[in-house]
Amino acid sequence: MNTSKPKLLIAMRSELPEGFFGPREWARLNAVTDVIPGFPYTDFDTVEGGKALAEADILLAAWGTPSLTKARLAHAKKLKMVAYAASSVRTVTPTEFWETSNILVTTAASAMAVPVAEFTYAAIIMCGKNVFRLRDAHRTERGTGGFGSRRGMNQPHLGNHARRIGIVGASRIGRLVIDMLARGTFEIAVYDPFLSSDEATTLGTTKMELHQLLAWSDVVSLHAPILPETRHMIGAHELALMADHAIFINTARGWLVDHDALLAEAQSGRLRILIDTPEPEPLPTDSPFYDLPNVVLTPHIAGALGNELRALSDLAITEIERFVAGISPLHPVMKQDLERVA
């Protein structure tokens, strides 16, 4: 009876294993696989990387994993599974991967969605009270500003009571944000061409067309996927539809927004803006976005970081355990899934 364990190849950026794996995670991996030494691998085209890929039955991947091109797959004769410990698998499994292999692919996108949704919900609340700008003013005044206009007491556009929130994209993340918002006093609308009106109602929202939603909302939050048709779906015309003092939040991808148009609106001071995912990323050091008082610019931190990485590795390891035990995966990725991912 063959009791040998499958060979596991860990390929990701060099700093990631420390965040992904603690004693508990290593114990789980070692219980069901033989980890190929020399990890983490970042290059499959070296002698060492090519040999490791050829030995691997399972690939545990994340940011920094080399793309599984047709040429590389030709050397990965034993590979049966890719467990991706992050969200979008596009960079690791390009189009040619799906055309030439039947390898099982799983994703930790459901685990990644949680911190992004939490960050977005927090951003809605904090931007609604203009926390960051008031923080800066308070720091400058050092307690001398009193409780006048700088504190927002006489500014009805501040606050979160019964605000209208427009969600662009009923993705996994978008739905989590909707669920969090539904517990408060917010009115919620959603734009998603794949969502029916009945489905929107079930989510606790009202379905709207994009332009209607932009004009209606006090806060607009983007959660649409990267698709050819979503390229710069938010441009000058769309931004102009938003009301004065409205809040625009992007924790999805810069791909969705015409940043020249966004900069023009930001410089006008008309909108309050939070950008976690700009285009390009990172922005050039001389970008005006860094210095505008009505813009909060964060360095792509909505997704998992710090101890949140353990949630991603936990799910990836669970998928590996299930695969080794012959149990169906929880979150398999199919080629058609890549047509709508966020």
Side-chain angles (χ1 to χ4, degrees):
M1 179 178 176
N2 184 5
T3 58
S4 62
K5 293 182 287 188
K7 297 283 188 179
L8 176 69
L9 173 60
I10 298 175
M12 57 185 64
R13 294 203 310 255
S14 59
E15 76 274 16
L16 292 177
E18 183 177 359
F20 274 125
F21 311 119
R24 177 176 175 271
E25 289 74 28
W26 284 123
R28 292 174 63 194
L29 285 173
N30 289 324
V32 296
T33 68
D34 285 329
V35 180
I36 296 173
F39 65 85
Y41 287 85
T42 59
D43 191 342
F44 293 155
D45 298 326
T46 63
V47 173
E48 295 81 5
K51 180 181 177 182
L53 184 61
E55 292 178 8
D57 298 293
I58 301 170
L59 172 62
L60 178 48
W63 303 288
T65 303
S67 180
L68 291 173
T69 61
K70 184 176 180 180
R72 289 169 181 156
L73 285 172
H75 299 289
K77 301 295 187 182
K78 296 175 60 181
L79 191 62
K80 303 176 184 67
M81 178 191 190
V82 176
Y84 193 61
S87 186
S88 174
V89 302
R90 282 188 176 94
T91 57
V92 177
T93 58
T95 300
E96 57 196 289
F97 173 92
W98 301 99
E99 293 173 347
T100 59
S101 83
N102 293 311
I103 296 168
L104 170 66
V105 179
T106 65
T107 176
S110 62
M112 176 67 85
V114 174
V116 179
E118 291 172 340
F119 182 97
T120 303
Y121 177 77
I124 291 169
I125 299 298
M126 299 289 272
C127 290
K129 301 195 81 162
N130 215 10
V131 166
F132 304 102
R133 195 164 185 177
L134 290 175
R135 183 273 315 269
D136 292 342
H138 185 55
R139 177 180 290 162
T140 300
E141 295 162 0
R142 307 189 74 81
T144 64
F147 289 92
S149 61
R150 285 191 182 275
R151 295 293 181 90
M153 304 291 269
N154 63 344
Q155 298 182 35
H157 64 272
L158 300 186
N160 293 299
H161 175 66
R163 287 303 188 194
R164 295 174 168 182
I165 314 296
I167 302 296
V168 178
S171 60
R172 183 184 288 108
I173 296 168
R175 290 170 187 246
L176 284 174
V177 174
I178 289 169
D179 184 61
M180 294 174 185
L181 293 168
R183 302 168 197 173
T185 61
F186 300 102
E187 295 181 58
I188 312 166
V190 61
Y191 165 71
D192 191 315
F194 297 95
L195 190 74
S196 71
S197 296
D198 288 344
E199 288 172 325
T201 300
T202 299
L203 291 174
T205 70
T206 301
K207 181 176 180 178
M208 294 184 180
E209 293 303 313
L210 179 60
H211 288 182
Q212 178 189 10
L213 179 144
L214 292 167
W216 174 88
S217 300
D218 299 308
V219 181
V220 173
S221 185
L222 301 189
H223 303 285
I226 296 175
L227 298 171
E229 56 268 34
T230 62
R231 175 69 172 164
H232 289 184
M233 65 184 294
I234 304 295
H237 177 67
E238 286 73 26
L239 291 166
L241 294 171
M242 296 180 65
D244 291 352
H245 305 298
I247 298 166
F248 180 80
I249 297 173
N250 188 9
T251 58
R253 284 293 186 272
W255 171 274
L256 306 173
V257 183
D258 179 341
H259 278 65
D260 290 337
L262 184 62
L263 178 58
E265 281 287 6
Q267 289 175 323
S268 78
R270 199 177 67 82
L271 302 178
R272 289 175 281 161
I273 298 166
L274 186 146
I275 311 170
D276 188 56
T277 49
E279 185 182 61
E281 187 178 354
L283 290 169
T285 57
D286 61 350
S287 171
F289 279 115
Y290 288 111
D291 302 309
L292 292 170
N294 55 320
V295 174
V296 178
L297 190 63
T298 54
H300 203 151
I301 58 172
L305 80 166
N307 67 8
E308 294 165 343
L309 293 176
R310 295 292 169 88
L312 307 184
S313 61
D314 177 72
L315 184 49
I317 294 168
T318 297
E319 297 284 28
I320 291 170
E321 290 169 337
R322 293 173 70 90
F323 176 75
V324 175
I327 303 171
S328 297
L330 296 171
H331 302 286
V333 180
M334 306 299 178
K335 182 179 180 180
Q336 58 268 29
D337 295 330
L338 300 181
E339 298 173 359
R340 186 169 182 266
V341 178

